[in-house]
């Protein structure tokens, strides 16, 4: 049951990320000058995500990033 909940949350996260990517592309296509601002937003988001993973790993003494084979990521 817990694995299904994790799957659900990951699918929801992917759906939200896809929407954010699509909107980002649309905004930049309409106004190229927004690319720097949007880049900062994405940098902030990715930094927050990476920070959460690292912080949780320190608190639990579990290296969450070790679960991922980055070679398998396209």
């Amino acid at each position: 049951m817990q694995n299904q909940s994790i799957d659900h949350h990951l699918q929801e996260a992917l759906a939200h990320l896809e929407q954010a990517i699509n909107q980002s592309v649309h905004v930049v296509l309409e106004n190229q000058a927004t690319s720097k601002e949007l880049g900062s937003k994405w940098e902030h988001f990715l930094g927050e995500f990476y920070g959460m993973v690292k912080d949780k790993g320190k608190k639990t003494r579990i290296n969450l990033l070790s679960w991922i084979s980055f070679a398998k990521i396209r």
Side-chain angles (χ1 to χ4, degrees):
M1 188 64 163
Q2 285 183 329
N3 281 347
Q4 289 176 341
S5 177
I6 293 167
D7 289 342
H8 172 76
H9 287 296
L10 291 173
Q11 288 300 320
E12 287 288 311
L14 283 174
H16 288 288
L17 285 170
E18 183 177 20
Q19 289 177 347
I21 290 167
N22 289 341
Q23 287 180 8
S24 295
V25 168
H26 178 74
V27 167
V28 170
L29 286 174
E30 286 187 346
N31 183 358
Q32 194 69 30
T34 61
S35 63
K36 189 171 184 172
E37 179 185 350
L38 284 172
S40 293
K41 291 178 186 293
W42 281 100
E43 286 172 0
H44 177 75
F45 168 77
L46 292 172
E48 287 287 317
F49 173 74
Y50 185 75
M52 286 188 331
V53 171
K54 294 295 281 185
D55 187 50
K56 184 59 76 173
K58 286 180 186 176
K59 288 179 180 175
T60 61
R61 303 178 81 162
I62 297 172
N63 181 359
L64 294 118
L65 294 175
S66 71
W67 303 347
I68 301 167
S69 169
F70 287 94
K72 291 181 181 178
I73 296 175
R74 298 182 221 131

